[in-house]
Amino acid sequence: MLRPSASSFPIFVDTHCHLGDGTFDQDRDAVLTRAREAGVGHVVVVGGTVAESERAAQLAGDRSGLSATAGVHPHEARHWSEETAARLRDLLTLPEVVAVGETGLDYHYEHSPRAAQRRAFEAQLTLASELGKPIVVHAREADEDMAAMLRGASGRGPVVLHSFSSGSGVFEAGMTIGAYFSFSGMITFNNWRLGDRISACPPDRLLIETDGPYLAPVPHRGQRNEPAWVCLVAEALARARGEPVASIARGTTDNARRLFGARLATTL
Ligand SMILES: [Zn+2]
């Protein structure tokens, strides 16, 4: 879908894309041109390791319309150390690095032991609240621990539940602490069963994302995902909530700017 030609149509923000991933190395500029042509104004480039976070910060420093996050993904949590924390803290002093993450818990793959995941997540929650930055959270098949840790983080600062697809315990914990719910291309999949969560999400807590290069929305499922396709997520969200796409675009962009700060107003 391309946006209508009317220039008054609100822009979209892709709040979560791994744009530093090697799969974009050959054509990153073309990817961003397609995003701009599709009406995407800003992309938050996510880091999941120190190296990826450095790369994300570099991309965001080089180009308006991009911001970065700095964090350690639960898959990598076994590598967490004081040096990691210090390096992330340095990156997070840069104006283009707008949030901590992605961090969280993933007991599906369990690439790092569960205790190491909880420790790294807790340390990043602390870092985010010390620095006054939002935190971007990945949650997969860890609902009980995730809900408990979210409730424990109450009052510490804004939380984004990215590519939201968790059960009711995590949803309710997120609602209790005023978390933001970011929806991805998963909501376009045939097996998506959580339409009631989309309807129940407060309008001022909704975000959209691609999670590129992963989770390409229908009809691109299985391909490399890219920011231009966040429009397809917005369309699916609009259908699920019975709202016009323009109001979803306007609402989610306002939410992203309020959450991540003024830098999100710069455009590609
Ligand atoms: Zn991600």
Side-chain angles (χ1 to χ4, degrees), residues 16 18 46 73 102 138 162 209 211-212 214:
H16 191 116
H18 298 265
V46 172
H73 193 282
E102 72 178 278
H138 168 109
H162 116 80
E209 64 169 89
D211 202 18
Y214 316 108

Side-chain angles (χ1 to χ4, degrees), residues 3-11 246 249-250:
R3 70 170 163 168
S5 53
S7 60
S8 62
F9 195 86
I11 62 166
R250 197 171 288 112

